[in-house]
């Protein structure tokens, strides 16, 4: 199969028939074999009934319905598990992503050899204050922390090699950082394509400003796990040792002052409490790293590594 299209959605009953017809037209024009997975993330309208009807009319359209709302990351992860196409394309259901971009995204994976291609909505029709400015700040921070030079991490229109989506796991609010997750999994050829951004035709946006706060927390989590997930002692141990050495050095200085220079009231000096604090924090960080290392070494997936190729005789 050439392409699997994953469409996470919530309360998009009005846009689904038009989106399904548009995708089908693009696939037929380019002679692609395909499937479309529409993942209903706990809709409270008639979205699931619409998906049922569309699937009955077009066998290429398939559906997954969540019992309740779990979030976009969960919807994408379930779609990734089901995808059979050589190239997997994700897009939003609100018609702001154009299915006409599918051939270009498919070509960049199959012919240009990219592992992942992220859309860049260079011209946007969102509210400048509530979406565009926060999005630019978010993308700038992500570039600085991840080293991946993309303009629009949060664009829902992306394409992947099938191997990528079968390797990564998306949860929480991590869908914004799929390129980062893919990079930490060893997929280095990450590209970008300018895509059309369309005005919302039906309904209202399902995301608020809180997504940016959660997004930065998730970025910190991904960065830490990616760098130190297999070796937590390297982070906690190094930081703990540094704090302990500084605190111990201050304690030595105060001891010399007391013994050789007969200084008094040492315990009333702020630097004394700073030394005690650094010694305690340093010890706790070191023990945290030690415990994390013990947990990691006893985890069932401690030696699970992504092997790209094996040669045997």
């Amino acid at each position: 199969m050439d392409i699997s299209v994953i469409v996470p959605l919530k309360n998009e009953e009005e846009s689904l028939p038009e989106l399904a017809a548009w995708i089908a037209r693009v696939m037929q024009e380019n002679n692609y074999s395909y499937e479309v997975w529409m993942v209903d993330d706990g809709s409270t309208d008639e979205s699931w009934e619409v998906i049922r009807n569309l699937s009955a009319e077009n066998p290429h359209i398939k559906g997954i319905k969540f019992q309740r709302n779990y979030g976009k990351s969960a919807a994408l992860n379930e779609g990734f598990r089901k995808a059979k196409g050589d190239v997997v394309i994700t897009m939003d259901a609100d018609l702001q992503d154009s299915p006409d971009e599918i051939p270009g995204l498919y070509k960049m994976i199959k012919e240009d050899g990219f592992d992942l291609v992220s859309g860049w909505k260079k011209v946007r029709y969102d509210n400048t204050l509530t979406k565009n400015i926060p999005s630019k700040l978010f993308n700038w921070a992500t570039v600085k922390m991840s080293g991946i030079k993309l303009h629009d991490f949060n664009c829902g229109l992306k394409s992947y090699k099938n191997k990528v989506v079968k390797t990564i796991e998306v949860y929480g609010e991590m869908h914004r950082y799929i390129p980062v997750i893919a990079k930490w999994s060893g997929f280095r050829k990450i590209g970008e394509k300018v895509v059309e951004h369309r005005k919302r035709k039906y309904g209202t946006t399902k995301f608020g400003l809180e997504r940016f706060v959660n997004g930065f927390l998730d970025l910190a989590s991904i960065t830490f796990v990616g760098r130190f997930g297999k070796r937590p002692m390297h982070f906690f141990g190094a930081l703990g040792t540094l704090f302990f050495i500084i605190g111990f050095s201050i304690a030595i200085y105060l001891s010399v002052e007391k013994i050789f220079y007969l200084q008094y009231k040492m315990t009333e000096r702020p630097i004394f409490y700073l030394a005690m604090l650094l010694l305690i924090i340093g010890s706790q960080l070191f023990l945290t790293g030690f415990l994390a290392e013990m947990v990691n070494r006893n985890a069932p997936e401690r030696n699970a590594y992504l092997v790209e190729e094996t040669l045997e005789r």
Side-chain angles (χ1 to χ4, degrees):
M1 183 181 294
D2 294 324
I3 299 175
S4 292
V5 180
I6 312 298
V7 184
L9 63 104
K10 181 185 178 186
N11 296 338
E12 299 286 358
E13 60 179 345
E14 296 173 303
S15 63
L16 293 178
E18 186 173 339
L19 177 64
W22 195 351
I23 292 174
R25 176 176 59 80
V26 171
M27 297 299 184
Q28 290 168 6
E29 289 176 353
N30 292 273
N31 295 316
Y32 293 139
S33 57
Y34 74 100
E35 63 180 358
V36 180
W37 282 99
M38 294 187 172
V39 187
D40 184 351
D41 183 25
S43 294
T44 55
D45 64 359
E46 298 300 316
S47 292
W48 183 245
E49 288 304 314
V50 173
I51 294 172
R52 281 182 183 273
N53 295 332
L54 292 172
S55 182
E57 296 170 3
N58 183 350
H60 297 288
I61 296 177
K62 305 171 184 180
I64 300 171
K65 185 179 190 302
F66 283 168
Q67 186 76 22
R68 64 173 179 85
N69 174 244
Y70 288 100
K72 188 174 182 179
S73 293
L76 287 173
N77 198 64
E78 287 302 304
F80 289 162
R81 290 174 60 185
K82 296 287 187 180
K84 298 178 181 177
D86 295 334
V87 175
V88 179
I89 294 177
T90 60
M91 64 173 54
D92 294 335
D94 54 13
L95 297 176
Q96 290 190 279
D97 294 336
S98 171
D100 288 335
E101 304 287 353
I102 289 175
L105 292 168
Y106 177 81
K107 179 182 177 183
M108 291 183 73
I109 298 294
K110 293 296 287 185
E111 298 182 18
D112 299 337
F114 285 97
D115 296 315
L116 184 158
V117 177
S118 181
W120 173 20
K121 297 174 181 176
K122 196 171 184 178
V123 179
R124 301 182 66 96
Y125 295 98
D126 294 321
N127 183 282
T128 301
L129 183 62
T130 61
K131 294 196 76 173
N132 289 358
I133 293 177
S135 182
K136 288 181 179 180
L137 177 62
F138 162 81
N139 286 314
W140 174 83
T142 307
V143 169
K144 292 298 182 182
M145 292 187 70
S146 69
I148 303 173
K149 299 186 183 302
L150 296 178
H151 292 86
D152 191 359
F153 283 84
N154 201 36
C155 179
L157 190 57
K158 291 182 172 67
S159 61
Y160 314 79
K161 282 183 179 178
N162 186 279
K163 183 180 180 180
V164 175
V165 303
K166 298 302 183 184
T167 299
I168 64 176
E169 182 181 6
V170 191
Y171 57 93
E173 298 290 327
M174 299 297 189
H175 59 273
R176 301 180 184 90
Y177 302 110
I178 290 179
V180 182
I181 297 172
K183 177 185 175 182
W184 289 121
S185 297
F187 298 101
R188 302 285 179 177
K189 196 162 186 185
I190 299 173
E192 186 172 56
K193 182 182 185 299
V194 176
V195 296
E196 179 186 6
H197 184 225
R198 300 164 58 85
K199 291 183 179 179
R200 176 177 273 275
K201 191 173 181 180
Y202 306 104
T204 58
T205 182
K206 310 301 185 298
F207 301 100
L209 287 175
E210 71 277 359
R211 66 179 180 152
F212 293 104
V213 176
N214 295 335
F216 286 119
L217 295 176
D218 288 334
L219 176 59
S221 176
I222 284 180
T223 302
F224 175 81
V225 172
R227 291 181 178 176
F228 302 105
K230 292 284 186 182
R231 41 193 174 89
M233 190 61 170
H234 288 198
F235 176 79
F236 291 107
L239 202 58
T241 301
L242 175 63
F243 280 17
F244 189 89
I245 289 175
I246 295 173
F248 188 74
S249 299
I250 295 174
I252 291 295
Y253 163 74
L254 293 175
S255 299
V256 170
E257 287 277 295
K258 173 70 174 176
I259 295 171
F260 295 100
Y261 296 98
L262 304 178
Q263 296 292 324
Y264 294 97
K265 298 184 179 180
M266 286 297 182
T267 58
E268 296 181 10
R269 298 172 64 175
I271 195 172
F272 171 81
Y273 294 100
L274 176 62
M276 294 299 101
L277 181 64
L278 290 173
L279 286 170
I280 293 170
I281 292 177
S283 299
Q284 290 180 330
L285 285 171
F286 188 89
L287 288 174
T288 299
F290 179 76
L291 292 174
E293 194 75 23
M294 294 294 291
V295 171
N296 187 58
R297 287 180 180 274
N298 287 280
E301 290 115 14
R302 63 188 179 279
N303 285 322
Y305 305 105
L306 301 176
V307 178
E308 182 174 354
E309 188 175 357
T310 302
L311 297 175
E312 293 185 28
R313 287 185 179 273

